[in-house]
Structures are given as C-alpha cells and as structure tokens.
Amino acid sequence: MKFESLEIIQSNQSGWRSGELEFGSAITQLYAKNGSGKTPLIQAMMFCLGLHVQFRDDIVRNCKMARLKVLINKKRFTLERMIGDTFDLTVKTEDPTESRFYNEEDFSKFMLKSLNLRSDRLVTNGNTPTIPYFSALLPLFYLDQDQGYSEYYSPPRPGFIKDQFSEMTRLAAGFPPQHSYDKKKKAIDVKKELEYLDATIVDSRKLMERLSQELPSPVRKIEDVDRLIAESKSRLDDLKKTKDIKSESISSLDHLMGNLRRRHHELSSEEASLESKISSSTQIRDEIFSEIETLNLNEEARRAFTSFSDICSSPSCGMFMASADSYGKSLLYLKDQIKDLEIATSSNIQKAESIVTEKQFIERQIADLAQQRGLAEREAGIEIFIEAISKIASEVFELGLEKSKLEKYEQQKTSHFELMEKRENTLTLEDSLQTSREQSPDILKFRIDLGQKMAEWLDILNSKNISRDIRIDSDLKPILGTEKLGIIKGSSKARTVLAFHAALFELCTNNPNSPFRVLVFDTPRQQEIHWEDLDAYIQALKSVALRNNAQVIFSTTSYQYEINAETDKEWLPQFAGVEQPMYLGKIGQPPIDAT
C-alpha cells in the first residue's frame, strides 16, 4: 500500500479546505511553524485508514471530510471519511461500485482482505473472539505527536486484544497469531492440509522425475532449442525457394550433419563426465569400506579391553559406552553414504548407457547423410532434394517435441517448488499452533534480525548510553542489554522508539509481498534529537524507501530535509493566516504567494 494524495474537503462555502496534496514516491515533508496545521493533515491520513482521531472543534466545524487516495496491489482506492463522532467511511475503486462502512469491524475486514492479510480470530482481554482491527496495526507505522515517541506501540485507545502489541507485530511481519481463538480447529485443518501437500509433493516429484527421464541428455536450454528450430526453418524456406537443387541439397545435408556432429560432441562430453563420476564414486566407495573395516577393528579391540577384569571390573562399567555409541552412529552414517553412492552410481550408469545408444543412433544418421551427400554430388536428381527437405522437416518436428518436453518439465518444476514453499509455510503455521510455537525457525530469525536492525538504527541516530546487545523477547519487545524501555528517559527513549520503528519498517519492506510500505511521523521531538542525527536518520530511511519501493512521511518545525524533486515532495502551508501561513484555508482565500 502506498499513498498517492490527501485532501481535506470544506463543510460549507466558508469552511476550510487543503486542496489535493500529492505524496512523494519516497519522502513527503510537511515543513512549517507550530500551529500551522501540520498535525490535522497527518491525523487525516490515519483517520481515512480507520484510526480513531479526536479532531479539535474548529476542524470538526469547518471541515466535512478527509479523502485519501492509495494504491493497493496496483489498484487505486479512494477512502473518504466524514469528520465527526460517527464512523462513516466510503471506499471507491476504479470499478463503478463503492463500499460504505458504518463500523470499524466491517471496514477492517475489507482492508485485511484487500491487503491479503490473514483475518484469524484473536482473543480479547475478556477471552472473547475478535478480528484483528486494522486500526490496531497502524501505530506500528505511525507515531503521533504525543504518545508515539514514548512507547514502542501506542494505540490511541487502550488495547483490547490479548497481547495486542505482539499480535499486531506478528500480523505485520506475516506470522501466525500468538493466541488464535480457533486454534484447535485450525490445527486439525492444517494437519489435513499437510497430509494433502505431502501426498501431492510425492506425486509431483514422481511426475518431475518421469518428465526428466524423457529429456535428452545432456539437457539443452529452451533458448538453444528455439535457435536450432529457427535455423532449420530458415534452411527449409531457403530450400523451397532455391533454383539450384543440387548445391542447396548438399548444403542442407551438410547443415544436418553439422548439427548431428555438435550433438555427438555434447553427448561425448556428458559421457566423459558421467564416467568420471562413476569412477570417483567407486573410489569413494572403496575408501568408505576401508573406514568400515577400521571401525570394526576398533570395535573388536574395545570388546577385548572390556573382557579384562583389571580394566573394567564391573559388568555395568560405562568406561567404553561413548565409544560404543560412536561406533554405532559412525557405522550407520557410512552405510547410508554407501547406499546414496550406489543409487547415484546406478543412475549415472543408466544415463551413460542411454548416451551410448543415442551416440550410436546419431553415428548411423551421419553415415546415412554422408552417403546421401555423395549421391547428391554425383547426381542432380530431385529425389535427393526431396530427401533433404524431408530430413530438415523431420528435424524441426523432433526439436519441437524436445521443446515441448522441456516446457512441460519447467512448468512442473515451478509447480513443484510452489508446492514445497506452500508446505514450508504450512509447517510454520503448524509449529505456531503447537505449545512450542516460539521455536518456529522463521519467528526466531525475525527476532534476531529485528534486534540486529534496531542496533544499526541506534548507531545511525548516534544514540549513547543504550546497549547494542538487543534481545527481542517472546512478545517481540526489545530488551536493551538488561533494560526495558520504561526505565529509559529523555532523548534516549525517543531515539530507541525511532530505531525500533525504522527496524520493523525495513524488515517489512524488505519482503516484496508485505503491504506495509508507509512510515509516518508527526513531528519527531527535535528538541531532544540533534539536527545532524535526525538528518542521518531521514537519509537512511530515504535509502530504504528507494530500495524497497516505500514511503516516509513526516512533519517538522525546525529540521528541514533537502528534498529531491524527482522522488520527494514538500508540503508548505499555502493559505495566509492571521499570524502565519496555514495548511487549511477558505474557498477564494488567496494563496500565500499571492498576498
């Protein structure tokens, strides 16, 4: 999801409007003095996405509606929300129909579906079911002016979902819920899905192996086959147009023999490679047998030692227990290696035999063509010409069959990998539904990555007295060495919060399938962060935005980022106010540059 434009609509002729304000593709900066109306514009963005916002009375009185245009999966959505106490939000798309929502729950379901996010029922603090409200996700990517810089996650209303911060972070990062209301039912469904996928993958692998066996060895690329088909068709067209039957017949026969000789050379190279592999496998197999013989000798020696009472007087003596265990594991490992080698060698021998057969067939074809070429040199008969056309047409047909087999194999290969990926995702989901859900490798990796990224962003912000030994706990909250956020004060707390949100934003946008591609700041506490540190932070966020097709939006009073006209936008107040320029003004009110 990316933002395109924002507009505040006036309530009447004397009301306030903003005009349509376009977002930059990477950075959007609202730069103005305090009291110019930056915060209402920032709030209006989140308001259109379902967040509860308490606007001041003058905004409610003079403004009718906020309109936000966004792109979701390359489709434009226009979200219009009436400013007031009741929830009234309309969504328009490029289709002629529109959807109007009068409660946050229905709108959340719509947004979750549009963004391809899961909508598993979660558990409330009262142990009742609830959907993941979309507005509960927004504080992960939006920091408001008051509470946003004092907590990692600061929703405008008290959290009502059990472990709400953890649940929303999991949802944003694409992980299964921590507390699923339908966990038991889902676990059964997931198990059935896994069984189905296992069976399907087995069938898919068998089909892929069968298609692989039908391919010639060595396997050519589809592009190479296309090139050969094009050459043969061109040769066939030349034959049809020629008037010199004899020379064209000889040339076509030479062309066919050249292709066959190239193929014969490729097969010979593949045969030599296979023979080398077979020879190496035999040598390795002999070496493994020697290892097994050595292991057996060592085991016999161990048994001889244990038979002496002076060394091991007790029948239950455990002196050589570790050695016995090691012997058993090593022997099993070596036997498994021999089994794998035998399977690979058998396969290579079959391929080599197949290549020998194909080489013999090609050699016979070359001999036949050479004989026909000799006849063509001595005679000028039409029969040789027809034979040449027939041979080339046959070659085109054979190459077409080969291409068809290659395409089927590649399609099956792609389908097989998709099944494997789906199975991995289902396994991750199954792990999350077990009691040991925190041991899911994907979640553990995310926790490690989040901690590392957060340390990097603390360096960018030049944060002092904050440990870089960051551990993310099971609730996905950072622990800075031995400290939690609550005991950190002043600018260090603001920097820590900024580092966390930047790290989460970077990890989410690194995933091309994540819909969260916008990070919004309402006036970072510039009195607590040096200009240079804030500039380094925004510059680093700009790099992430450019790399990951994302947006960063922030308002500022003293710090001013130097924008790039190609990727950034700067919103300046356009209406003359009593004391200073304002972002909202009346219809007909002259813009600031006209006064």
Side-chain angles (χ1 to χ4, degrees):
M1 177 175 67
K2 291 192 73 176
F3 292 178
E4 286 199 319
S5 69
L6 175 72
E7 185 175 5
I8 305 295
I9 311 300
Q10 70 279 359
S11 57
N12 50 56
Q13 286 295 318
S14 60
W16 297 345
R17 66 184 179 91
S18 67
E20 187 170 9
L21 302 168
E22 294 182 353
F23 291 93
S25 61
I27 294 286
T28 302
Q29 174 179 243
L30 286 76
Y31 177 69
K33 294 180 180 179
N34 287 331
S36 60
K38 299 186 298 295
T39 292
L41 291 182
I42 294 288
Q43 288 177 323
M45 302 172 198
M46 299 300 112
F47 184 67
C48 288
L49 292 171
L51 192 72
H52 174 73
V53 175
Q54 188 69 48
F55 289 106
R56 297 189 64 177
D57 289 344
D58 56 353
I59 299 291
V60 176
R61 187 171 57 253
N62 289 286
C63 301
K64 174 185 178 183
M65 178 176 68
R67 178 185 292 143
L68 179 69
K69 293 180 180 179
V70 300
L71 274 179
I72 299 176
N73 296 325
K74 299 181 180 179
K75 186 177 180 180
R76 180 173 287 104
F77 287 66
T78 300
L79 299 97
E80 299 178 344
R81 186 172 177 184
M82 306 301 292
I83 295 176
D85 293 331
T86 58
F87 192 98
D88 187 351
L89 199 158
T90 301
V91 180
K92 299 176 181 178
T93 62
E94 295 163 353
D95 303 325
T97 57
E98 61 180 50
S99 304
R100 192 165 185 177
F101 302 95
Y102 297 99
N103 62 75
E104 196 175 340
E105 181 175 354
D106 290 341
F107 175 69
S108 295
K109 290 177 180 176
F110 172 83
M111 287 300 293
L112 292 171
K113 183 178 180 182
S114 299
L115 294 167
N116 296 322
L117 293 171
R118 59 170 174 79
S119 56
D120 314 60
R121 290 195 297 175
L122 304 176
V123 180
T124 67
N125 292 325
N127 291 322
T128 57
T130 182
I131 66 162
Y133 277 62
F134 189 68
S135 61
L137 271 166
L138 296 177
L140 291 175
F141 303 97
Y142 160 62
L143 279 71
D144 73 16
Q145 193 174 28
D146 297 325
Q147 301 300 319
Y149 300 92
S150 57
E151 296 289 344
Y152 293 126
Y153 174 77
S154 182
R157 292 175 175 176
F160 65 97
I161 298 172
K162 188 175 182 180
D163 294 327
Q164 184 165 310
F165 168 76
S166 175
E167 293 289 15
M168 294 303 105
T169 306
R170 283 168 173 267
L171 180 56
F175 295 123
Q178 186 173 8
H179 305 291
S180 172
Y181 190 82
D182 304 308
K183 179 179 176 180
K184 288 185 179 180
K185 181 179 180 300
K186 198 168 187 67
I188 294 171
D189 293 340
V190 168
K191 187 176 181 180
K192 289 181 179 177
E193 176 72 6
L194 268 177
E195 290 173 353
Y196 166 75
L197 286 171
D198 286 339
T200 306
I201 286 170
V202 170
D203 293 340
S204 174
R205 186 181 291 111
K206 288 179 180 177
L207 177 57
M208 196 162 64
E209 289 173 356
R210 183 173 63 78
L211 291 173
S212 174
Q213 289 170 358
E214 293 177 0
L215 296 176
S217 181
V219 177
R220 289 188 281 207
K221 295 181 180 178
I222 293 177
E223 296 80 10
D224 294 335
V225 176
D226 279 335
R227 178 179 53 78
L228 291 172
I229 290 173
E231 289 177 0
S232 296
K233 284 184 176 179
S234 175
R235 194 70 191 165
L236 199 58
D237 290 340
D238 291 342
L239 275 174
K240 291 176 181 178
K241 296 173 184 177
T242 187
K243 295 180 180 178
D244 188 353
I245 293 175
K246 181 175 180 178
S247 62
E248 283 297 332
S249 297
I250 293 171
S251 176
S252 297
L253 292 170
D254 287 339
H255 170 77
L256 289 170
M257 284 192 290
N259 287 344
L260 288 171
R261 288 191 179 105
R262 279 196 296 273
R263 183 63 178 163
H264 190 276
H265 178 71
E266 290 172 0
L267 291 169
S268 296
S269 299
E270 180 71 8
E271 184 182 20
S273 174
L274 288 171
E275 286 174 354
S276 175
K277 289 178 181 177
I278 293 167
S279 177
S280 298
S281 297
T282 303
Q283 185 179 350
I284 293 169
R285 187 170 175 272
D286 292 340
E287 290 174 1
I288 291 173
F289 274 121
S290 297
E291 287 285 333
I292 290 174
E293 187 177 347
T294 303
L295 277 175
N296 289 333
L297 289 172
N298 289 339
E299 177 63 10
E300 287 177 12
R302 182 191 68 80
R303 289 172 183 168
F305 270 102
T306 57
S307 67
F308 294 113
S309 59
D310 291 340
I311 296 174
C312 194
S313 57
S314 171
S316 60
C317 172
M319 183 180 294
F320 297 98
M321 189 176 294
S323 177
D325 288 344
S326 175
Y327 167 75
K329 290 176 182 176
S330 299
L331 188 62
L332 185 63
Y333 171 72
L334 291 172
K335 286 184 175 180
D336 283 343
Q337 279 193 318
I338 288 176
K339 214 179 275 184
D340 292 341
L341 277 171
E342 287 175 346
I343 292 170
T345 303
S346 176
S347 174
N348 288 335
I349 289 172
Q350 288 178 358
K351 287 180 181 177
E353 290 173 349
S354 174
I355 285 175
V356 169
T357 303
E358 188 175 351
K359 280 177 64 179
Q360 291 172 348
F361 176 71
I362 288 174
E363 288 164 2
R364 288 195 299 270
Q365 283 186 307
I366 292 173
D368 290 343
L369 289 171
Q371 186 178 5
Q372 290 175 17
R373 189 186 188 284
L375 289 172
E377 286 181 337
R378 294 192 298 271
E379 301 174 7
I382 196 68
E383 294 84 2
I384 299 298
F385 180 73
I386 294 172
E387 183 68 20
I389 290 178
S390 175
K391 289 283 185 183
I392 294 176
S394 177
E395 184 184 42
V396 171
F397 177 74
E398 292 295 332
L399 288 169
L401 283 179
E402 183 178 344
K403 180 183 177 182
S404 176
K405 290 176 182 178
L406 282 169
E407 288 175 339
K408 285 181 181 177
Y409 176 75
E410 290 299 326
Q411 289 171 1
Q412 182 58 32
K413 189 176 177 182
T414 301
S415 175
H416 186 76
F417 286 153
E418 288 174 354
L419 282 170
M420 294 293 290
E421 184 178 0
K422 188 175 181 180
R423 184 178 182 276
E424 284 299 317
N425 293 336
T426 308
L427 276 171
T428 300
L429 179 57
E430 186 188 43
D431 287 342
S432 73
L433 297 172
Q434 307 301 321
T435 54
S436 59
R437 61 180 178 272
E438 294 307 332
Q439 300 308 311
S440 165
D442 290 339
I443 294 177
L444 287 174
K445 183 179 184 302
F446 174 78
R447 288 165 60 182
I448 293 169
D449 291 345
L450 184 60
Q452 291 174 345
K453 284 293 180 186
M454 192 172 168
E456 292 174 11
W457 283 100
L458 284 170
D459 287 339
I460 292 169
L461 283 161
N462 194 26
S463 303
K464 296 179 173 62
N465 304 319
I466 301 293
S467 174
R468 302 302 194 265
D469 180 19
I470 301 173
R471 179 174 62 86
I472 308 298
D473 66 17
S474 59
D475 290 326
L476 302 182
K477 287 188 177 179
I479 297 174
L480 313 163
T482 58
E483 298 177 326
K484 293 187 177 180
L485 185 66
I487 65 172
I488 301 174
K489 306 298 179 184
S491 67
S492 293
K493 176 175 281 192
R495 292 169 194 260
T496 304
V497 171
L498 286 169
F500 170 78
H501 284 273
L504 180 63
F505 176 67
E506 183 176 2
L507 287 180
C508 285
T509 55
N510 282 345
N511 178 5
N513 296 320
S514 173
F516 300 105
R517 318 206 78 76
V518 181
L519 185 60
V520 182
F521 303 103
D522 187 4
T523 315
R525 295 181 178 178
Q526 293 146 78
Q527 72 275 16
E528 295 181 354
I529 303 175
H530 296 306
W531 192 98
E532 295 82 1
D533 298 338
L534 189 57
D535 186 60
Y537 181 71
I538 296 298
Q539 293 281 2
L541 282 173
K542 168 75 174 287
S543 298
V544 173
L546 290 174
R547 184 174 71 248
N548 294 342
N549 186 30
Q551 291 172 301
V552 177
I553 301 161
F554 65 96
S555 62
T556 173
T557 300
S558 56
Y559 164 77
Q560 186 174 18
Y561 171 74
E562 186 176 346
I563 66 168
N564 181 327
E566 293 182 2
T567 59
D568 309 329
K569 293 285 186 181
E570 184 174 47
W571 295 0
L572 300 173
Q574 296 297 312
F575 297 95
V578 177
E579 299 179 357
Q580 62 187 20
M582 303 295 290
Y583 280 99
L584 298 175
K586 298 179 181 179
I587 295 176
Q589 182 177 350
I592 190 170
D593 57 1
T595 59

